Amino acid sequence: MLDLAIIGGGPAGLSAGLYATRGGLKDVVMFESGMPGGQITSSSEMENYPGVATVTDGMSFMAPWLEQCMRFGLKHEMATVLRVSKNADGFFTVFCEDGNKFDAKAVIVCTGSKPRRAGVKGEDEFFGRGVSTCATCDGFFYKGKEVAVLGGGDTAIEESLYLANICKKVYIIHRRDGFRAAPATLAKARANEKIEFITNATVDEIKGDMAGVTNVIVSLKDGSKRDLNVPGIFTFVGLDVRNQVLQDESGNFICETVEGGQVKVNLKMQTNVPGLFVAGDLRQDAPKQVVCAAADGATAALGVISYIENLH
């Protein structure tokens, strides 16, 4: 039986693994179907992590985390977890897609979040053929061309700046005048001659043909329309948490959640189910910042150590 199962390999999961193993837990496994690193690995710019003064991309930033976090005995199980159950004996079972099952004394779930779909006509039809949620993944395909970005938060503005280094022009479409992005990032974008802001506007439709996106129809505040001849649009309209592993076979959550599907936790990242902890974007009121996710993971791991000690 595992001392601890960690589900998710982003900053929260890796930090949890580091603190749990360094804190003395012997059988700790992190379940992550792909390469650990999390959503931040697709970011084009990381400049606000305390102590890391060099501005770098998310992939480079996360590269040393795995080595450090595995140093004290954390194991990586490359498997997709379907669900977690709390058993009658007080322990947990982790059910994997490949049919394997693992028993554990405690579980930390840090499965993070995924980009939300904008709900625009044509978005699903052309997703992967001109519609993207990752500028670092797909920006190169639009080198020397014009593209659109939908959104007004930090990710939208940061990725627009990244795209401006590759593309001929970037249109930022936002439904309001004001932006949620950090003022410093927004100032950089406003000063970039390749970026044009289209505010108080919504995307009506993404159009295209067999080859992919050809143009984007935008509705302006005054009721007029604008037709942007762009072969690509990047949507950054928020995140949806990945909470499926906390649902039982009937689709009911095994722990308490709040509106929006985030998990209710206390300051120790404990859920209302003893031994079950949640960290990172999945927990309620998560700031969705790497430094906060890492802190959550460490906090949860320390909570698990205390919990397991009290089992004996």
Side-chain angles (χ1 to χ4, degrees):
M1 177 180 291
L2 304 177
D3 277 346
L4 172 62
I6 300 169
I7 304 172
L14 286 166
S15 293
L18 171 63
Y19 274 76
T21 52
R22 191 173 182 274
L25 297 186
K26 298 301 182 185
D27 297 305
V28 181
V29 173
M30 178 183 67
F31 294 85
E32 173 57 65
S33 58
M35 192 64 188
Q39 189 177 188
I40 190 61
T41 56
S42 65
S43 176
S44 60
E45 185 177 279
M46 186 68 185
E47 65 176 3
N48 62 347
Y49 197 89
V52 182
T54 303
V55 179
T56 183
D57 62 273
M59 185 70 77
S60 300
F61 173 77
M62 291 304 301
W65 284 51
L66 185 60
E67 179 191 349
Q68 181 190 21
C69 295
M70 304 289 274
R71 191 174 296 162
F72 300 96
L74 174 66
K75 301 181 184 72
H76 175 203
E77 182 74 22
M78 196 169 285
T80 298
V81 174
L82 297 178
R83 62 185 178 90
V84 175
S85 71
K86 179 76 180 275
N87 306 322
D89 59 6
F91 298 132
F92 297 86
T93 299
V94 175
F95 296 86
C96 296
E97 191 176 58
D98 59 9
N100 287 328
K101 295 187 293 184
F102 297 82
D103 292 326
K105 296 176 184 177
V107 175
I108 301 175
V109 180
C110 31
T111 42
S113 55
K114 60 183 178 180
R116 181 178 300 151
R117 292 294 178 95
V120 174
K121 184 179 180 182
E123 179 184 24
D124 291 339
E125 180 183 354
F126 294 105
F127 198 86
R129 297 193 299 125
V131 178
S132 174
T133 56
C134 180
T136 52
C137 307
D138 301 323
F140 180 78
F141 298 116
Y142 305 100
K143 185 176 182 180
K145 301 177 182 179
E146 296 188 356
V147 295
V149 169
L150 178 61
D154 282 319
T155 302
I157 306 305
E158 288 168 2
E159 300 305 89
S160 294
L161 285 164
Y162 173 81
L163 289 167
N165 292 324
I166 302 171
C167 302
K168 180 181 177 182
K169 187 165 187 175
V170 179
Y171 299 95
I172 298 178
I173 306 163
H174 185 43
R175 58 183 175 176
R176 292 189 290 267
D177 268 331
F179 288 81
R180 301 184 311 278
T185 307
L186 190 58
K188 286 182 187 177
R190 291 196 185 281
N192 193 308
E193 61 183 15
K194 286 188 176 182
I195 296 176
E196 179 181 337
F197 286 82
I198 305 175
T199 56
N200 292 312
T202 56
V203 174
D204 277 356
E205 185 179 357
I206 299 168
K207 293 186 173 184
D209 53 27
M210 293 298 292
V213 170
T214 56
N215 57 311
V216 173
I217 308 300
V218 179
S219 280
L220 305 177
K221 187 179 181 180
D222 62 8
S224 63
K225 305 278 188 183
R226 188 167 174 186
D227 190 347
L228 303 178
N229 293 313
V230 294
I233 179 169
F234 294 81
T235 60
F236 304 106
V237 294
L239 301 167
D240 289 323
V241 293
R242 301 178 187 270
N243 55 18
Q244 293 83 359
V245 300
L246 291 171
Q247 296 175 20
D248 61 21
E249 291 178 294
S250 301
N252 299 312
F253 286 104
I254 65 171
C255 59
E256 192 174 351
T257 60
V258 298
E259 186 177 354
Q262 294 89 3
V263 178
K264 189 173 183 179
V265 295
N266 62 16
L267 292 176
K268 294 182 178 181
M269 303 300 141
Q270 293 174 310
T271 70
N272 65 316
V273 176
L276 179 62
F277 295 72
V278 166
D281 286 5
L282 181 55
R283 60 100 167 166
Q284 69 178 122
D285 299 324
K288 295 180 174 60
Q289 298 291 320
V290 174
V291 67
C292 300
D296 281 2
T299 300
L302 295 174
V304 166
I305 292 171
S306 177
Y307 171 78
I308 291 178
E309 285 175 350
N310 290 326
L311 288 177
H312 303 297

